[in-house]
Amino acid sequence: MGACAALLAWALLGTAACDNVATGDVKVTMSGGDRTQRGLPDTLFQDGWSVQFTRYLVSLGDLTLTSASGEVRTSDRHVLVDVQKGDIPLTELKGLPAGRWDVGFRVSPPREGTELADGQVSAQDVAMMRERGFSYFVEGRAVKAGVGVLTFRMGFPVDTRMEDCINGVDGTQGIVVPEASVAEAEVTIHAEHMFYDRLGTHKGVQLRFDAIAATANPEGLITPEGLASQQLTDLKDGRGQELRDAQGQPVVYLPGAYDVRTLQEFITQSIVDQAHLNGGGVCLAVK
């Protein structure tokens, strides 16, 4: 009987220990940072343009946290928000065992059940983005001294799972859930990716707008259809001549290993990984 009693006591202690695992919470927000909210100045562009967004719609959700032991916590919430208007609460998960968790989420077009940010996004926006398969849709204007002002309404069809995110705060993997406290995580949108002139790397990249500007219609509006008309191997300026930079050299976009042929395809690929974790933390883009 003594052995049985000891075994029972050990089992009860084990159960109590499991019940008393230290836990914490996670709050996740989405932000476009200064560059979606305040724009990009001409000092950032190789060709002297500046860009100001009036809307920057992002369709995103399906947050997944995975612990080192393989435990998975998920949020099915999927939202369509305008990060140009400021930071947006995305989701909150409570009662997670304290420790390190990997972070993943999906950037994908609006679907049935996608939630809309109050006062920011309309049912018409949802219908348009769903019909065209856009997960990003941006509006705004671009200005260049001596050239003038152009407006843009550009959408991009991205459907990608972001996984194995690095934390932009300290360069570690994912986030750490603290005991009896809250871990703050942020999905940060990097608007400058839209204007990169090379794919597959962040090194040596320059921001350019001349090739985009050249696709504007007679009313000065840049659209996805216009971007699709700009061939990467034969870039043209607004007069239909070879596109050259201020030094008279041909403007070149470097696609790397990606099979992209138009400027619309190039930009779509460039922004696949523009959603980061906690500032500059890069995530792995997978289908």
Side-chain angles (χ1 to χ4, degrees):
M1 293 294 293
C4 291
L7 182 61
L8 177 60
W10 178 87
L12 291 174
L13 285 171
T15 301
C18 291
D19 290 342
N20 291 323
V21 169
T23 63
D25 302 335
V26 176
K27 290 184 178 180
V28 185
T29 59
M30 184 157 45
S31 174
D34 286 347
R35 290 181 176 175
T36 61
Q37 296 168 24
R38 298 182 184 178
L40 290 83
D42 58 8
T43 53
L44 293 180
F45 285 86
Q46 188 275 340
D47 45 23
W49 288 88
S50 64
V51 170
Q52 178 67 55
F53 298 101
T54 54
R55 295 208 301 167
Y56 203 111
L57 306 188
V58 182
S59 181
L60 180 150
D62 298 340
L63 179 80
T64 301
L65 301 179
T66 307
S67 72
S69 65
E71 182 177 353
V72 178
R73 297 290 184 92
T74 63
S75 169
D76 294 332
R77 189 173 189 232
H78 195 271
V79 299
L80 178 59
V81 303
D82 184 354
V83 294
Q84 198 280 330
K85 302 298 188 291
D87 298 352
I88 307 292
L90 183 59
T91 193
E92 183 174 358
L93 295 172
K94 295 187 175 183
L96 282 72
R100 187 169 297 278
W101 292 73
D102 283 344
V103 177
F105 53 90
R106 177 168 287 280
V107 179
S108 58
R111 60 200 187 204
E112 188 173 348
T114 294
E115 299 177 32
L116 309 185
D118 292 341
Q120 295 184 359
V121 189
S122 69
Q124 289 76 18
D125 292 323
V126 175
M128 177 274 294
M129 292 180 68
R130 184 180 295 156
E131 178 183 355
R132 304 198 61 176
F134 293 157
S135 54
Y136 292 106
F137 186 77
V138 299
E139 294 181 345
R141 68 176 193 161
V143 180
K144 183 176 181 178
V147 176
V149 179
L150 297 175
T151 58
F152 54 82
R153 300 183 75 247
M154 304 186 294
F156 304 98
V158 174
D159 190 348
T160 303
R161 181 79 189 166
M162 310 302 294
E163 296 181 348
D164 297 329
C165 296
I166 299 299
N167 194 317
V169 173
D170 57 15
T172 61
Q173 185 79 20
I175 59 173
V176 174
V177 176
E179 180 179 347
S181 189
V182 179
E184 303 280 352
E186 178 186 275
V187 175
T188 313
I189 305 300
H190 285 229
E192 65 273 16
H193 282 225
M194 192 176 304
F195 310 109
Y196 280 5
D197 65 353
R198 62 178 60 191
L199 299 178
T201 180
H202 295 278
K203 296 180 180 179
V205 170
Q206 296 192 81
L207 273 60
R208 298 181 182 273
F209 199 85
D210 273 345
I212 298 173
T215 71
N217 65 21
E219 289 72 42
L221 175 65
I222 299 163
T223 66
E225 293 77 16
L227 295 176
S229 71
Q230 183 75 286
Q231 300 295 313
L232 293 178
T233 57
D234 188 25
L235 292 173
K236 302 293 188 183
D237 62 20
R239 298 169 296 176
Q241 304 298 312
E242 182 182 27
L243 183 62
R244 294 178 175 270
D245 61 21
Q247 289 72 45
Q249 298 300 311
V251 172
V252 176
Y253 278 66
L254 301 177
Y258 295 97
D259 182 19
V260 292
R261 302 184 182 185
T262 70
L263 192 56
Q264 170 75 358
E265 292 174 347
F266 186 99
I267 297 174
T268 299
Q269 183 60 54
S270 186
I271 66 174
V272 161
D273 63 351
Q274 73 170 342
H276 295 226
L277 176 64
N278 286 346
V282 176
C283 303
L284 177 65
V286 298
K287 291 295 184 182

